[in-house]
Amino acid sequence: MTQQARKALSGVTMKPFWLDRPDAPDTRFPLETATQCDLLIVGGGFTGLWAGIQAKEQNPDLDVVLIEAGRVAHGASGRPGGVVSTSVMHGLSNAARIFPKDIDELERLGHENMHGFLDTITRHGIDCHAEWGGELTVAVDPDHVPALSDEHRLHLEHGHDSTLLDTDGVRAQINSPRYFGGIWSKNISGTVHPALLAWGLKRAAIELGVRLYENTRLKRVVDNGATLIVETSIGARIKASKVLLATNAFAEGDRRIKRRVVAVRDRVLATEPLSDAQMQSIGWQNRQGVYDTRTQMNYMRLTKDNRIIFGGRLAYAYGGEISPSVDQELDTYEPLAGAFFSTFPQLDGLRFSHAWSGPIDLTTRMAVHFQRYHGGKAVYAGGYSGFGVSASRFGARIGLDILNGSRQPESHLEFATSMPTVVPPEPFRWLGAEITMYALDTADEKGGWRRPWLNMVTKLGFPLS
Ligand SMILES: Cc1cc2nc3c(=O)[nH]c(=O)nc-3n(C[C@H](O)[C@H](O)[C@H](O)COP(=O)(O)OP(=O)(O)OC[C@H]3O[C@@H](n4cnc5c(N)ncnc54)[C@H](O)[C@@H]3O)c2cc1C
C-alpha cells in the first residue's frame, strides 16, 4: 500500500489544485494611506466576501472596506473539498445535537441561505462549475449502516428529499468495495469550484463598491470610544464604526477568540483527470459530494475535468500553527493516498497531481458562532469546523445583523447568542489533540483504548465518535 501511495504521489504539485490556474485575478493593491469607513471587514475568504456583498446590497451608501492579509481565497476558501450543503449547522444531525428546539427554524434558514447563494451567483454571473447532484454519506463498515438508517429517519422527519441505499444501491452510485450503504440527500446541495466562487465573489464585491485591499494585515484594534482604530501591517490606520472579523481559524482581531476556536488542518489530494474507462469503472454518474463514515472521515467529489478530490486527514500543530512545514512533506499524505486506493482499488496506477492542507476553525459546536468585542463594535463570525462553503454566507449575514443591533428575529435564537465551550490552552490543547489525532487514525483498525478516548472527547463537546 505504501509503495502504491508513494508512486502515485511522486511528482505532485504542493499547492491547492483550485488555486493553480492562469486565470486567477490580479492582486489588489495594499492599503497605504489612512482611511475611514462605516464597516471594516477583516478577511478575504467566503465570510468576508459574502459580508461585503450583503452589506452593500442592503445599503449601497454604506462605506465598506475589506482588508485581506494575503490574497483573496488563500485561506480555507481556496482549499476545501467544495461540497456544498443546505445546512448552516454542519448537517442535520449536528443541528439536532446542538440546537434541537430550533431545528425547524435552522432548516428554514438553511434553505433561505441556499436560495440567496444561488440568486447571487446567478445575478453576478459567477461560473463556479456548480453541480447539484446532492450529497452522499457512505458507510464504510456494515456496523455503520444502522446509524445511517437513524440519520435517514431524521432526514425524512424534516422533509428532506433523501434516499436510503443498501450495499447494491450505494455501489450502483459509486463502485467501491468499501461501501455498504448510503444516504443520498438531494436538498439543494452538490459541489462548486471554490476558488472560482471566491474570485467571482471578489469581483461582485468590488463592482458593488467594496474597497478591497490585499496584502493588508490587521495588527491591532484600538477602542476609541465611538469608533475603532485598526492598525495594519504596513502602517495605514483605518477608523471604522464597526468591524467584522472574518478571520476563520487564523482567529485574529482579539486574542480571546482562540479560547473557543482550535486551528486544525486538513489534508487534500487531487488526482489527474480520469480516462473514460476509469470513469466507467467507478460509476459516479450523479457526481454527488461524498462523505464517508470512517472515524478519520474522508470526503470526495469530482471536478469538471473528472479529477477526484479526496480529502480528510486532520492534524494539529503546537500553538495552532496554520501552515507548518510538515504539510509540505509528501510522506504525510501517504495515509490519505492509501485511503484513496482502498476506496478505489480499480484505479491502481492513477497519479495525484496536487496535494495541500488548509486551516479549519474547529469548535465544540462544529458550526458558526459569534464573539462580540468592544461593546459590540467588533464581531467575530466563524467556527464552521470544515463546513462553511455555503454556511459562510449565513455566518456573514448574521454577523452583520449582530453588528447592526440584532434587528432580525433569527439573531435572537440560541445559535446567535450562545457560545461553544472554551477549550483548554497550550500545552493541554496540543497534548489532547495529539492523542485524539492518533486515536482517530488508528481506531478503525486497532480499537482498544481509542474508542473510550474518542467517546470522552465527544462528551467534552467534540462529536468525534
Ligand atoms: C481542507 C479543507 C476542506 C474543506 N472542505 C469543505 C467542504 O467540502 N465543504 C464545506 O462546506 N466546507 C469545507 N471546508 C470549510 C470551508 O472551506 C471554510 O469553512 C470556509 O472557507 C471559511 O471561510 P472564511 O472566510 O471564514 O475563512 P478563510 O477562507 O480562511 O478566510 C479568512 C481570511 O482571513 C485572512 N486573515 C486572517 N488574519 C488576518 C488579519 N490579521 N488581517 C487580515 N486578514 C486576515 C486570511 O488570510 C484568510 O484569507 C473545508 C476547509 C478546509 C481547510
Side-chain angles (χ1 to χ4, degrees):
M1 180 64 80
T2 310
Q3 196 56 32
Q4 183 188 36
R6 220 169 267 159
K7 195 167 159 218
L9 284 165
S10 65
V12 86
T13 302
M14 301 294 286
K15 71 191 276 197
F17 164 71
W18 309 120
L19 297 173
D20 190 10
R21 290 181 68 96
D23 58 352
D26 290 342
T27 310
R28 303 278 291 185
F29 290 113
L31 178 69
E32 283 173 338
T33 51
T35 191
Q36 54 184 12
C37 59
D38 300 317
L39 170 68
L40 172 67
I41 298 165
V42 183
F46 291 137
T47 305
L49 296 165
W50 279 117
I53 289 171
Q54 292 178 98
K56 285 301 267 186
E57 286 186 341
Q58 281 159 19
N59 178 2
D61 296 332
L62 199 74
D63 188 7
V64 181
V65 169
L66 187 156
I67 57 169
E68 160 55 44
R71 296 179 63 185
V72 159
H74 278 237
S77 299
R79 296 165 185 271
V83 180
V84 180
S85 175
T86 325
S87 174
V88 286
M89 288 290 138
H90 208 132
L92 187 55
S93 317
N94 194 51
R97 176 184 75 93
I98 47 179
F99 302 119
K101 95 178 152 46
D102 293 329
I103 189 159
D104 290 330
E105 184 58 5
L106 290 168
E107 283 282 289
R108 186 192 69 73
L109 290 166
H111 277 88
E112 183 186 88
N113 184 55
M114 271 320 288
H115 285 292
F117 181 105
L118 291 174
D119 177 59
T120 305
I121 63 172
T122 308
R123 268 189 299 112
H124 290 280
I126 298 173
D127 177 6
C128 53
H129 300 178
E131 298 193 58
W132 303 109
E135 296 164 278
L136 188 60
T137 308
V138 293
V140 292
D141 189 312
D143 289 349
H144 300 170
V145 172
L148 278 193
S149 304
D150 292 345
E151 194 173 331
H152 181 244
R153 215 166 300 124
L154 192 65
H155 280 216
L156 295 185
E157 271 167 35
H158 291 280
H160 285 207
D161 179 4
S162 169
T163 310
L164 187 65
L165 303 169
D166 61 10
T167 305
D168 288 344
V170 74
R171 292 183 191 181
Q173 290 302 318
I174 302 180
N175 184 19
S176 167
R178 295 289 315 252
Y179 296 171
F180 295 93
I183 304 177
W184 182 8
S185 173
K186 297 167 206 156
N187 269 10
I188 330 172
S189 56
T191 58
V192 294
H193 186 305
L196 289 181
L197 174 62
W199 294 335
L201 294 175
K202 172 182 174 180
R203 172 179 53 77
I206 293 167
E207 281 169 7
L208 286 165
V210 173
R211 293 192 280 144
L212 195 153
Y213 302 96
E214 292 177 88
N215 291 315
T216 305
R217 171 181 292 278
L218 166 148
K219 251 179 56 189
R220 202 161 77 100
V221 182
V222 181
D223 194 337
N224 221 8
T227 56
L228 295 174
I229 308 288
V230 168
E231 295 173 0
T232 64
S233 46
I234 39 179
R237 294 173 140 220
I238 309 164
K239 191 169 159 189
S241 309
K242 288 168 186 155
V243 176
L244 184 76
L245 299 166
T247 52
N248 186 29
F250 303 85
E252 291 195 41
D254 193 293
R255 63 187 165 73
R256 287 168 291 182
I257 297 171
K258 288 192 176 158
R259 285 186 192 166
R260 293 165 208 272
V261 178
V262 182
V264 297
R265 292 131 36 231
D266 200 24
R267 291 195 173 85
V268 191
L269 293 169
T271 68
E272 290 180 335
L274 271 65
S275 65
D276 289 348
Q278 285 168 326
M279 280 301 289
Q280 240 169 21
S281 76
I282 60 166
W284 210 346
Q285 283 175 1
N286 290 303
R287 306 176 68 85
Q288 303 94 332
V290 180
Y291 314 98
D292 73 22
T293 57
R294 277 188 185 93
T295 307
Q296 175 74 284
M297 190 259 271
N298 290 125
Y299 48 87
M300 57 180 183
R301 46 81 52 92
L302 291 164
T303 62
K304 191 176 178 186
D305 62 352
N306 288 337
R307 292 164 197 266
I308 298 176
I309 303 292
F310 193 83
R313 197 176 165 77
L314 291 175
Y316 181 79
Y318 191 88
E321 198 191 328
I322 278 165
S323 304
S325 55
V326 69
D327 286 356
Q328 292 297 313
E329 289 170 17
L330 215 47
D331 58 352
T332 63
Y333 292 83
E334 281 175 16
L336 186 59
F340 176 85
F341 286 113
S342 77
T343 307
F344 294 122
Q346 65 271 48
L347 296 181
D348 183 27
L350 185 69
R351 285 177 178 267
F352 297 105
S353 61
H354 294 75
W356 67 95
S357 79
I360 290 191
D361 46 358
L362 188 68
T363 68
T364 56
R365 175 180 293 187
M366 303 282 289
V368 68
H369 74 287
F370 306 90
Q371 300 192 23
R372 295 147 169 89
Y373 295 105
H374 302 292
K377 295 194 289 291
V379 168
Y380 165 85
Y384 306 98
S385 305
F387 204 90
V389 171
S390 48
S392 50
R393 180 184 177 277
F394 176 72
R397 177 167 88 71
I398 302 297
L400 289 177
D401 189 54
I402 293 173
L403 278 172
N404 285 332
S406 298
R407 294 179 196 159
Q408 305 293 324
E410 47 268 33
S411 299
H412 297 277
L413 293 176
E414 198 184 343
F415 81 89
T417 54
S418 66
M419 298 265 249
T421 313
V422 169
V423 181
E426 302 294 9
F428 308 105
R429 192 177 281 208
W430 175 79
L431 200 61
E434 283 289 290
I435 301 171
T436 305
M437 298 301 171
Y438 179 70
L440 278 174
D441 273 352
T442 51
D444 290 339
E445 286 78 33
K446 297 192 176 152
W449 59 270
R450 296 159 184 86
R451 288 272 164 230
W453 174 271
L454 293 174
N455 287 340
M456 186 196 73
V457 176
T458 298
K459 282 205 183 92
L460 290 176
F462 289 107
L464 297 173
S465 54

